[in-house]
Amino acid sequence: QVRLTESGGGPVQAGGSLRLSCLGSGATLWQNCMAWFRQAPGKEREKIAAIHTSDGRTIYHDSVKDRFTLSYDRNTLFLQMNSLRPEDSAIYTCAASGGYCSPPMVGRATYNVWGLGTQVTVDS
């Protein structure tokens, strides 16, 4: 069973950048669907970006499109976050299908493996 560990969160000024990492251990994440979710206090968790790790196709929520970029390399999922805004403050959690995921499913995958999350705080 693969395990996911996030890192890279922390405080940042509005307009700044952060790069989140999600390291997979215990099994390969190749041919998985993976995603970053975030949850702010008092709000529901939302999926902000997803990727197929071998096909490479990605999808982004409108709120982060053109500011955030997903990438995958060597069992690690990255989220490059630029032009950060105070409303981006949340706990960011990565997730994986935990097994083969068909590339067209990247926007509708079921995520069976979750990390514990990392806090991102954007100060105005």
Side-chain angles (χ1 to χ4, degrees):
Q1 176 83 6
V2 67
R3 293 176 299 278
L4 302 177
T5 304
E6 301 95 337
S7 62
V12 64
Q13 292 290 317
S17 299
L18 281 176
R19 189 190 196 205
L20 303 184
S21 300
C22 173
L23 172 66
S25 59
T28 182
L29 290 168
W30 194 243
Q31 294 188 319
N32 273 238
C33 290
M34 294 191 71
W36 284 97
F37 292 76
R38 70 183 181 188
Q39 186 168 21
K43 295 188 177 180
E44 292 189 357
R45 184 175 64 193
E46 62 178 355
K47 182 173 64 180
I48 59 170
I51 188 170
H52 192 278
T53 58
S54 58
D55 178 82
R57 67 184 71 187
T58 56
I59 62 164
Y60 295 93
H61 191 277
D62 285 346
S63 64
V64 305
K65 203 172 292 183
D66 299 326
R67 298 189 299 125
F68 292 9
T69 303
L70 271 178
S71 60
Y72 173 82
D73 185 38
R74 299 177 190 179
N75 241 37
T76 302
L77 179 67
F78 300 97
L79 183 67
Q80 178 65 44
M81 305 188 295
N82 299 327
S83 302
L84 282 161
R85 306 165 180 167
E87 55 264 38
D88 293 319
S89 297
I91 295 174
Y92 285 70
T93 306
C94 68
S97 53
Y100 176 76
C101 180
S102 176
M105 289 295 294
V106 68
R108 294 175 287 130
T110 297
Y111 297 97
N112 298 305
V113 184
W114 295 79
L116 295 179
T118 185
Q119 176 72 48
V120 171
T121 303
V122 184
D123 298 318
S124 58

